[in-house]
């Protein structure tokens, strides 16, 4: 399979109608943002209200934490690429459904191939399970900060699952969790640099 340029992929999916409930509810599809040649690709869960309004992933409260985590490893959001497991905001920010994740799977894997990053960061359970499948079964708190392999066709990628920033918000910004998350981002940068 030849890699599809990212801009082409973006325009193909901008009017996607595969998920009826999502495309009736969304304001727009949120394809992703950042450097098209990034070494680090981050995959979140799904756009929320702010993302649906602004068309940029992780631009709300979780995004502020993500930015802090990136800064802790001297990266800006412009230097990485950020997308989500699904491109559209689920009603009332409910969890993505299995068939919605399935419908967006081809787009996600083509995005990975188009960016061709050194490291993929899966943020939270949904992204980790979508990318790592059985390896993510124990749950994000068990697998966070470890390095896994993903093979797509003949290309190998390193994958580092991390806890979702929303988790920190639910836990009243517990500093212990924040430090743990920063440690996991150290694994991200070390893995990226060891691939240089
Ligand atoms: N914003 C996103 O774009 N994705 C998430 O998973 C959470 C907030």
């Amino acid at each position: 399979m030849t890699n599809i340029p990212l801009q082409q992929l973006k325009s193909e999916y901008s009017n996607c109608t595969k998920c009826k409930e999502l495309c009736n509810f969304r304001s727009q599809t949120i394809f992703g943002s950042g450097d098209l040649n990034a070494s680090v690709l981050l995959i979140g869960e799904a756009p929320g209200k702010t993302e649906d309004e602004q068309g940029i992933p992780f631009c709300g409260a979780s995004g502020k934490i993500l930015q802090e985590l990136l800064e802790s490893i001297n990266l800006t959001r412009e230097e990485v690429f950020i997308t989500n497991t699904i491109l559209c905001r689920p009603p009332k920010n409910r969890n993505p459904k299995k068939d919605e994740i399935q419908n967006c799977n081809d787009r996600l894997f083509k995005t990975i191939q188009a960016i061709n990053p050194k490291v993929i960061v899966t943020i939270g359970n949904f992204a980790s399970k979508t990318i790592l499948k059985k390896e993510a079964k124990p749950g994000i708190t068990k697998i966070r900060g470890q390095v896994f392999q993903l093979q797509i066709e003949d290309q190998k990628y390193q994958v580092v699952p991390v806890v979702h920033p929303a988790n920190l918000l639910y836990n009243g910004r517990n500093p212990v969790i924040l430090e743990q998350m920063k440690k996991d981002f150290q694994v991200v940068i070390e893995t990226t640099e060891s691939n240089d």
Side-chain angles (χ1 to χ4, degrees):
M1 194 208 297
T2 50
N3 290 3
I4 300 175
L6 207 69
Q7 288 305 340
Q8 187 183 326
L9 206 55
K10 182 175 179 178
S11 72
E12 267 177 35
Y13 278 86
S14 62
N15 293 312
C16 178
T17 55
K18 283 185 188 166
C19 306
K20 293 290 164 253
E21 193 188 0
L22 296 188
C23 62
N24 285 334
F25 181 74
R26 73 177 181 220
S27 309
Q28 55 186 321
T29 58
I30 294 98
F31 187 78
S33 74
D35 182 355
L36 307 190
N37 297 307
S39 299
V40 180
L41 168 65
L42 297 108
I43 306 171
E45 181 178 312
K49 185 173 186 290
T50 323
E51 287 80 14
D52 182 65
E53 286 163 3
Q54 297 188 22
I56 302 165
F58 280 98
C59 61
S62 287
K64 287 211 177 86
I65 295 167
L66 184 61
Q67 191 163 333
E68 185 179 338
L69 293 166
L70 287 170
E71 277 167 9
S72 76
I73 54 168
N74 291 320
L75 285 177
T76 63
R77 48 178 302 151
E78 290 75 28
E79 290 172 304
V80 299
F81 194 86
I82 309 176
T83 188
N84 278 304
T85 307
I86 61 169
L87 291 186
C88 306
R89 180 192 177 201
K92 298 189 183 150
N93 295 345
R94 64 156 168 75
N95 288 339
K97 293 180 180 170
K98 268 198 182 137
D99 60 332
E100 293 164 351
I101 293 175
Q102 186 57 38
N103 285 344
C104 230
N105 211 43
D106 196 40
R107 181 277 315 167
L108 183 59
F109 279 76
K110 283 179 178 157
T111 302
I112 295 171
Q113 288 182 300
I115 303 270
N116 198 29
K118 289 182 181 150
V119 174
I120 298 170
V121 182
T122 53
I123 306 174
N125 265 318
F126 282 92
S128 302
K129 288 187 174 161
T130 302
I131 295 297
L132 295 173
K133 314 227 160 46
K134 278 191 193 140
E135 286 174 306
K137 254 206 155 142
I140 192 66
T141 52
K142 297 261 165 48
I143 62 166
R144 48 156 275 267
Q146 297 176 42
V147 184
F148 295 86
Q149 308 288 328
L150 169 73
Q151 180 147 0
I152 308 177
E153 297 179 342
D154 54 1
Q155 191 64 40
K156 284 200 177 96
Y157 302 93
Q158 315 257 52
V159 181
V160 182
V162 300
V163 168
H164 198 290
N167 222 290
L168 189 66
L169 296 172
Y170 298 141
N171 284 291
R173 293 178 184 265
N174 182 334
V176 176
I177 297 179
L178 180 61
E179 277 321 297
Q180 233 176 33
M181 292 168 93
K182 285 188 178 168
K183 262 195 188 160
D184 295 344
F185 270 72
Q186 277 302 322
V187 176
V188 172
I189 197 67
E190 281 162 20
T191 310
T192 310
E193 287 171 355
S194 72
N195 264 349
D196 276 344

